[in-house]
């Protein structure tokens, strides 16, 4: 999602995805879950001037040190074709749990968001490949698509999407028995 494209209001992925992550975290905490964020503000979690890989590794380290049961990485996609749109859930098949988590979130979050279902796909993104816990990377919508960018900035969409991810997480734990 690092394609350089012009967005309507110069929205930044990190801002809209943090809002969705916070709303998701609030739902999880209300249900009794312990939530650990890799960031809660616009600040890197690794040391200043860290490489991209060091930053990503630090995020995984936070989850591992917290003994997290799952790792959810929330993003907004981008493409040079402004018509590209939809939601994609990525996982790396380290074990059967990654696929179950991905499918559970796909089945709940995509209908909640109401965008094109681009599927649950295998990918080698660093944070899902290098984490030893079940992990997914969610591309919520295309920030480069004017209509989807508007949605990403609407609190109603953010709430619906966060609830969809939450429902997927609940579905996952129901399937795996609280793993």
């Amino acid at each position: 999602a690092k394609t350089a494209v012009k967005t309507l209001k110069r929205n930044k992925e990190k801002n809209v995805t943090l809002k969705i992550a916070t709303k998701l975290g609030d739902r999880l905490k209300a249900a009794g879950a312990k939530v650990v964020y890799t960031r809660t503000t616009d600040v890197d979690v690794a040391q200043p001037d860290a490489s991209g890989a060091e930053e990503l590794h630090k995020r995984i380290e936070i989850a591992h040190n917290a003994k997290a049961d799952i790792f959810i990485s929330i993003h907004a996609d981008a493409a040079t074709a402004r018509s590209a749109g939809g939601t994609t859930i990525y996982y790396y098949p380290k074990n059967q749990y990654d696929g179950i988590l991905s499918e559970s979130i796909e089945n709940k979050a995509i209908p909640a968001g109401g965008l094109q279902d681009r599927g649950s796909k295998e990918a080698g993104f660093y944070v899902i490949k290098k984490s030893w816990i079940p992990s997914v990377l969610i591309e919520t919508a295309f920030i480069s698509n004017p209509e989807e960018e508007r949605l990403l900035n609407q609190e109603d969409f953010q709430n619906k999407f966060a609830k969809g991810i939450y429902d997927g997480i609940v579905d996952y734990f129901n399937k795996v028995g609280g793993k």
Side-chain angles (χ1 to χ4, degrees), residues 36-69:
V36 177
Y37 296 97
T38 58
R39 71 176 183 96
T40 55
T41 60
D42 182 17
V43 63
D44 289 340
V45 295
Q47 72 274 9
D49 300 321
S51 70
E54 289 170 319
E55 177 70 17
L56 296 174
H57 182 76
K58 182 66 175 175
R59 291 171 189 237
I60 295 167
E61 189 177 271
I62 290 168
H64 289 173
N65 288 341
K67 296 182 174 47
D69 293 314

Side-chain angles (χ1 to χ4, degrees), residues 7 9-17 42 76 143 149:
T7 59
K9 297 178 184 172
R10 301 199 184 276
N11 291 310
K12 294 185 177 179
E13 174 188 25
K14 63 186 177 181
N15 297 332
V16 294
T17 56
D42 182 17
I143 201 164
E149 180 186 18

